[in-house]
Amino acid sequence: FFLKTDDDMWVNVPALLNTVNKEQATLQTALGGSCRVTGTKPHRNVKSKWYASYNAYPQPTYPGFCSGTGYVSSLNLARHVISVSPDVPFFHLEDVYVSLCIQRLGKPFRLRPLRGFMYRGSFLACRLKSTYTITMHQVSPQRLRDTWTASCTRVHADRPRLSDRARYRLPTRHGKSPSLSGRGTIRDLDRKREFQRRNPNNDRAQRRFSLEVAKKKRRWF
């Protein structure tokens, strides 16, 4: 088996090995990771990092692909992709190109979405080392070092430590937030980031969402 990833990625090796062991039969003919099966449109803005011209890719949507930030598969699939690649026109986005090769191969080769790839939650060392997180994007070298050296018990692997609760203004064991001016629960932070990603230019909507989060700060997830 192999893992392709980027240099700014957190990779939870124990969780990755556990997933590979469970999916080893499937991965013989599948590419696993954070996969979008269908419907993703090419970026036509020339300023985009992922720009694709109509000459390079004339179709309105991609056939589906697994994010190049991290995907896993078997050497068996790799050999088949290499064998068919001379028949697939070159495309500069490697993750899309690999998926185009898989599309050319046809059944039984396919994409396999796997839980834990491209985790988008809050940065908490013990959460990244938990069994349900495999990769996270845009992690700095210092954060990588902090995560590797963090001491996490089995319980803390699935729940933030007390120091993390104080840092993120999380509720105490009595269920109340230590400060109404804090940052809310981790779930609220995750929801806010997702909302901002989907509405980058909607300032009024983001302010309204911030007020909604402030009203729910006493809730524990």
Side-chain angles (χ1 to χ4, degrees):
F1 298 93
F2 70 90
L3 171 75
K4 183 272 171 183
T5 190
D6 292 345
D7 59 1
D8 61 344
M9 293 291 293
W10 159 256
V11 178
N12 186 351
V13 177
L16 172 65
L17 294 177
N18 185 47
T19 297
V20 169
N21 286 332
K22 291 180 179 178
E23 301 283 344
Q24 55 181 321
T26 302
L27 292 176
Q28 292 299 323
T29 56
L31 188 72
S34 177
C35 304
R36 302 176 182 181
V37 180
T38 57
T40 303
K41 296 181 179 180
H43 290 260
R44 302 302 188 186
N45 186 343
V46 295
K47 296 182 179 180
S48 173
K49 176 182 177 181
W50 302 280
Y51 168 68
S53 67
Y54 285 98
N55 289 333
Y57 192 85
Q59 304 301 323
T61 60
Y62 291 130
F65 62 93
C66 295
S67 172
T69 55
Y71 52 73
V72 64
S73 190
S74 63
L75 295 181
N76 176 61
L77 182 136
R79 283 190 287 267
H80 281 83
V81 167
I82 292 173
S83 67
V84 79
S85 61
D87 300 325
V88 179
F90 171 78
F91 190 65
H92 64 288
L93 299 178
E94 145 269 330
D95 47 5
V96 176
Y97 181 76
V98 171
S99 297
L100 290 171
C101 291
I102 293 175
Q103 183 188 44
R104 177 65 66 90
L105 287 169
K107 293 182 179 181
F109 299 97
R110 61 190 179 92
L111 306 180
R112 173 75 166 99
L114 295 175
R115 183 175 68 92
F117 280 84
M118 276 290 284
Y119 171 71
R120 294 180 174 85
S122 303
F123 177 82
L124 293 172
C126 291
R127 177 166 288 197
L128 295 187
K129 297 179 79 169
S130 68
T131 56
Y132 59 84
T133 301
I134 298 177
T135 65
M136 185 177 187
H137 192 207
Q138 295 180 336
V139 182
S140 67
Q142 183 58 51
R143 283 188 168 181
L144 286 174
R145 286 191 288 268
D146 292 343
T147 303
W148 280 118
T149 57
S151 177
C152 303
T153 65
R154 186 171 182 178
V155 174
H156 288 156
D158 292 325
R159 190 175 184 182
R161 296 171 296 175
L162 293 178
S163 59
D164 292 327
R165 296 186 193 183
R167 176 184 174 189
Y168 287 96
R169 303 289 187 179
L170 300 181
T172 64
R173 62 179 179 176
H174 301 294
K176 295 183 178 181
S177 174
S179 172
L180 290 178
S181 61
R183 298 172 62 183
T185 66
I186 290 179
R187 177 174 290 180
D188 287 334
L189 292 174
D190 294 345
R191 291 177 60 224
K192 185 172 183 179
R193 288 195 182 98
E194 179 66 13
F195 183 88
Q196 291 174 340
R197 185 182 68 81
R198 295 184 178 182
N199 303 272
N201 301 318
N202 193 335
D203 294 337
R204 178 180 294 181
Q206 290 197 30
R207 285 197 298 271
R208 185 169 65 250
F209 184 82
S210 297
L211 292 175
E212 177 187 342
V213 170
K215 293 178 182 179
K216 297 181 179 180
K217 282 185 178 178
R218 294 181 181 273
R219 294 178 57 187
W220 174 248
F221 63 94

